């Protein structure tokens, strides 16, 4: 019997089927089910990584003599052509072929014949898709880190310009104590520093190779997983095959880290919205980030910060979706996992564009220093400084707090600020008060006195900026 005549190569057995797994089925899959189960509509964006993974896998199969080196050459050349077709937009994605993996494999087989059919030796779509997603997410994480850095630099520049610009600091959204605008911005730089660290850490767990796990149990071929890991730039292999094909922790972690970035940006957005409203009038957001109203001609709406605030909810939704997707899934791979992609992709897309636009927007912020200063000098922002002044003169702080509260009440009744009260009046509250109290009641005096690491004194803001810049080098 010649090779061609073997029962395994009969027309009926192999050439009539339209998918790679339909041999055991008696009827075709229903059209609606095909649409329902197909992922090619969204997982085709993994194509580049699918091809990278396939090339690395085939090279390993060749090196281990599981397939011939001629087959490896044919596979590499075929996949290179397919990559070109995809990049040129000429690749025809077929729903019938379910997902990115089967589409590419079928095209490869059409091009190079049996060598293409050997590519899937010792591999399953289960470890293949996990590998593709990890490769994609690793590249995406690097883009996110670059985006975070760009935004930090933008905030640092603005903080530097305003290292001594006075503004009211708030608690309960009520004027609390004077701070510098630079100090306020540096609070966000700190948040972003932690965000960067979270992505760096998450990347370590992304960067492990699932291939070799095959469907779930490993494979009987003499594979070399370390070789594939090295070729693909992974730090190592996933150490349990069942876990390798079913773990999506790394995707959840990424989405959590993204959610926290969005949390931070939603807070800044809320402040930008408040500060740019005419009631505050602390800042102006460049027109290119705002829109007008179709009915109220006077309006300039801070659409970008509002959308960032809104899109934060969208990303949280993706995090909830992914956590819920994994909850209660038995080992190992389940088709549920196909649902990981759209939330993950949309998280990354939303985050990346948000970071990009935010970095630009912060460069388009102009500050109304007079209004900020005016707001800081209203509302008794230096009352704590007066209490501290009295405590330093020997009065127990609790008593000082009480007596200043009385002075504030008096000033409220007279509709003046503490610094407007004449010395004689202040001395009615505490006889020990002397002339030097006015230095303490000024905004600059208050700011400069908070001169320790983490404090709002302009000198400390400059030092904080310098520390971050050095650490970023
Ligand atoms: N499209 C699938 C996914 O995204 C690929 C893995 C399919 N594996 C399977 N046994 N059906 O998860």
């Amino acid at each position: 019997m010649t090779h061609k005549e073997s029962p395994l190569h009969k027309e009926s057995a192999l050439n009539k089927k339209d998918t790679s797994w339909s041999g055991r089925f008696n009827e075709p899959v229903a059209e609606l089910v095909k649409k329902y189960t197909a992922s090619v509509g969204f997982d085709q964006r993994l194509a580049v990584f699918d091809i990278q993974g396939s090339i690395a896998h085939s090279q390993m199969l060749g090196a281990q003599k599981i397939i011939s080196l001629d087959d490896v050459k044919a596979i590499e050349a075929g996949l290179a052509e397919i990559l070109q077709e995809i990049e040129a937009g000429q690749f025809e994605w077929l729903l019938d072929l379910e997902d990115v993996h089967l589409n590419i494999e079928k095209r490869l087989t059409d091009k190079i014949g049996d060598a293409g059919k050997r590519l899937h030796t010792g591999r399953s779509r289960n470890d293949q898709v996990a590998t593709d997603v990890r490769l994609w997410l690793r590249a995406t994480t690097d883009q996110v880190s670059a985006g975070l850095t760009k935004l930090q630099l933008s905030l640092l520049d603005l903080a530097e310009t305003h290292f001594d610009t006075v503004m009211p600091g708030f608690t309960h959204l009520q004027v609390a104590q004077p701070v510098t605008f630079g100090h306020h911005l540096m609070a966000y730089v700190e948040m972003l520093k932690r965000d960067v660290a979270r992505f760096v850490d998450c990347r370590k767990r992304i960067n492990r190779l699932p291939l070799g796990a095959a469907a779930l149990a490993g494979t009987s071929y003499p594979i070399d997983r370390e070789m594939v890991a090295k070729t693909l730039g992974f730090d190592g292999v996933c150490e349990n095959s069942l876990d390798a094909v079913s773990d999506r922790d790394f995707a959840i972690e990424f989405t959590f880290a993204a959610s926290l970035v969005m949390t931070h940006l939603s807070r800044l957005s809320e402040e930008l919205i408040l500060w740019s409203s005419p009631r505050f009038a602390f800042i102006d957001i460049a027109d290119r980030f705002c829109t007008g109203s179709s009915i109220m001609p006077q309006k300039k709406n801070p659409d970008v910060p509002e959308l960032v605030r809104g899109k934060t909810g969208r990303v949280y939704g993706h995090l909830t979706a992914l956590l819920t997707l994994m909850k209660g899934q038995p080992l190992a791979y389940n088709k549920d996992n196909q649902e990981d992609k759209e939330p993950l992709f949309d998280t990354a897309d939303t985050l990346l564009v948000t970071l990009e636009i935010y970095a630009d927007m912060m460069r388009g912020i102009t500050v109304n220093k007079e209004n900020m200063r005016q707001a800081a000098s209203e509302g008794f922002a230096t009352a704590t400084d007066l209490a501290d002044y009295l405590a330093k003169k020997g009065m127990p702080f609790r008593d000082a707090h009480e007596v200043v509260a009385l002075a504030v009440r008096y000033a409220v009744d007279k509709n003046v600020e503490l610094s407007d009260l004449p010395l004689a009046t202040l001395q009615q509250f505490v006889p020990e008060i002397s002339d030097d109290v006015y230095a303490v009641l000024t905004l600059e005096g208050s700011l400069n006195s908070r001169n320790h690491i983490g404090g709002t004194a302009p000198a400390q803001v400059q030092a904080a900026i310098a520390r971050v810049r050095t650490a970023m080098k």
Side-chain angles (χ1 to χ4, degrees):
M1 201 161 60
T2 69
H3 185 65
K4 277 236 158 71
E5 285 162 346
S6 92
L8 277 178
H9 283 77
K10 281 232 171 95
E11 273 282 300
S12 57
L14 281 174
N15 295 346
K16 282 197 178 151
K17 67 200 193 70
D18 57 359
T19 73
S20 312
W21 44 259
S22 61
R24 81 182 290 283
F25 287 76
N26 290 322
E27 60 174 4
V29 174
E31 277 310 308
L32 192 57
V33 173
K34 261 188 204 167
K35 285 202 188 115
Y36 193 69
T37 54
S39 54
V40 65
F42 49 84
D43 67 14
Q44 52 180 272
R45 72 187 278 177
L46 296 173
V48 179
F49 303 100
D50 194 69
I51 289 172
Q52 273 177 23
S54 288
I55 290 174
H57 178 68
S58 72
Q59 288 172 344
M60 181 278 289
L61 293 176
Q64 295 296 98
K65 303 201 171 26
I66 300 167
I67 64 174
S68 73
L69 293 179
D70 283 345
D71 282 346
V72 177
K73 257 195 222 137
I75 289 170
E76 282 179 337
L79 287 174
E81 277 178 36
I82 291 172
L83 183 60
Q84 274 179 4
E85 291 169 9
I86 292 169
E87 280 170 350
Q90 287 159 356
F91 191 91
E92 201 193 345
W93 297 101
L94 298 176
L95 195 79
D96 272 348
L97 290 169
E98 207 179 313
D99 56 25
V100 60
H101 323 292
L102 296 180
N103 267 271
I104 291 176
E105 196 185 317
K106 172 73 167 47
R107 180 86 184 116
L108 182 67
T109 303
D110 288 349
K111 279 179 180 293
I112 65 170
D114 281 355
K117 295 185 193 170
R118 292 198 182 99
L119 168 61
H120 212 52
T121 312
R123 185 177 78 170
S124 153
R125 275 185 297 153
N126 297 351
D127 57 347
Q128 186 178 359
V129 70
T131 303
D132 292 5
V133 174
R134 282 171 185 265
L135 286 172
W136 174 83
L137 195 55
R138 182 180 71 189
T140 302
T141 300
D142 292 342
Q143 282 176 286
V144 169
S145 294
L148 285 168
T149 302
K150 210 173 139 194
L151 176 54
Q152 281 181 308
L153 289 173
S154 168
L155 288 170
L156 282 169
D157 287 349
L158 193 59
E160 195 147 63
T161 309
H162 293 286
F163 78 99
D164 63 352
T165 300
V166 188
M167 72 176 279
F170 297 89
T171 59
H172 313 275
L173 202 56
Q174 319 227 10
V175 171
Q177 292 173 356
V179 295
T180 55
F181 186 47
H183 191 56
H184 193 108
L185 292 169
M186 287 304 287
Y188 286 99
V189 171
E190 286 297 311
M191 296 179 220
L192 294 175
K193 264 166 62 183
R194 295 193 295 273
D195 288 327
V196 170
R198 258 184 288 276
F199 282 102
V200 166
D201 200 56
C202 171
R203 192 187 192 281
K204 294 178 199 158
R205 284 177 291 278
I206 294 170
N207 205 26
R208 297 256 145 200
L209 174 77
L211 275 179
L216 75 163
T219 173
S220 56
Y221 295 96
I223 56 169
D224 181 351
R225 297 186 67 203
E226 295 295 341
M227 174 182 170
V228 182
K230 205 165 163 219
T231 311
L232 293 173
F234 283 110
D235 296 330
V237 303
C238 300
E239 298 206 1
N240 177 292
S241 64
L242 297 165
D243 182 49
V245 289
S246 62
D247 164 36
R248 296 292 183 274
D249 291 5
F250 63 91
I252 297 174
E253 276 190 56
F254 175 91
T255 309
F256 170 70
S259 295
L260 218 38
V261 176
M262 294 301 290
T263 304
H264 297 150
L265 296 185
S266 78
R267 298 179 69 185
L268 181 52
S269 294
E270 175 67 13
E271 299 197 316
L272 296 182
I273 292 162
L274 287 171
W275 295 340
S276 66
S277 87
R279 286 281 161 160
F280 273 80
F282 283 4
I283 62 162
D284 192 54
I285 303 173
D287 288 356
R288 63 184 180 280
F289 298 99
C290 301
T291 63
S293 157
S294 54
I295 177 169
M296 297 166 283
Q298 83 282 13
K299 295 276 291 243
K300 178 177 157 184
N301 297 328
D303 289 51
V304 170
E306 287 176 68
L307 270 175
V308 172
R309 207 171 50 180
K311 283 175 191 291
T312 301
R314 175 183 178 131
V315 173
Y316 291 179
H318 295 326
L319 176 61
T320 306
L322 289 176
L323 284 166
T324 313
L325 177 69
M326 287 314 291
K327 178 183 175 295
Q329 261 198 55
L331 292 178
Y333 177 85
N334 301 285
K335 189 75 165 183
D336 312 41
N337 286 351
Q338 181 165 290
E339 288 288 308
D340 65 354
K341 286 169 206 62
E342 286 165 292
L344 187 58
F345 291 162
D346 191 69
T347 295
D349 293 343
T350 304
L351 179 59
L352 283 170
V353 68
T354 300
L355 288 172
E356 167 105 43
I357 216 166
Y358 229 101
D360 283 349
M361 183 170 65
M362 294 314 290
R363 293 197 184 280
I365 300 261
T366 46
V367 174
N368 189 326
K369 289 191 190 190
E370 287 69 41
N371 287 350
M372 275 192 180
R373 191 182 176 89
Q374 185 56 35
S377 53
E378 290 164 9
F380 309 100
T382 54
T384 314
D385 296 275
L386 180 54
D388 287 341
Y389 167 90
L390 295 175
K392 283 172 199 164
K393 295 225 168 203
M395 188 180 271
F397 181 77
R398 276 287 157 239
D399 294 342
H401 181 279
E402 197 48 37
V403 89
V404 172
L406 293 175
V408 166
R409 191 156 94 188
Y410 178 87
V412 169
D413 285 346
K414 299 269 178 254
N415 202 16
V416 295
E417 289 297 315
L418 283 178
S419 55
D420 297 330
L421 296 176
L423 185 59
T425 310
L426 286 170
Q427 281 169 338
Q428 281 170 18
F429 292 97
V430 188
E432 293 83 3
I433 294 182
S434 54
D435 232 7
D436 57 355
V437 72
Y438 291 101
V440 161
L441 292 178
T442 65
L443 295 170
E444 267 73 17
S446 171
L447 290 176
N448 286 320
S449 67
R450 287 164 171 76
N451 191 17
H452 54 77
I453 187 162
T456 193
Q460 291 296 333
V461 176
Q462 283 178 312
I465 295 169
R467 279 197 303 273
V468 177
R469 284 203 199 278
T470 308
M472 283 175 77
K473 271 182 200 144

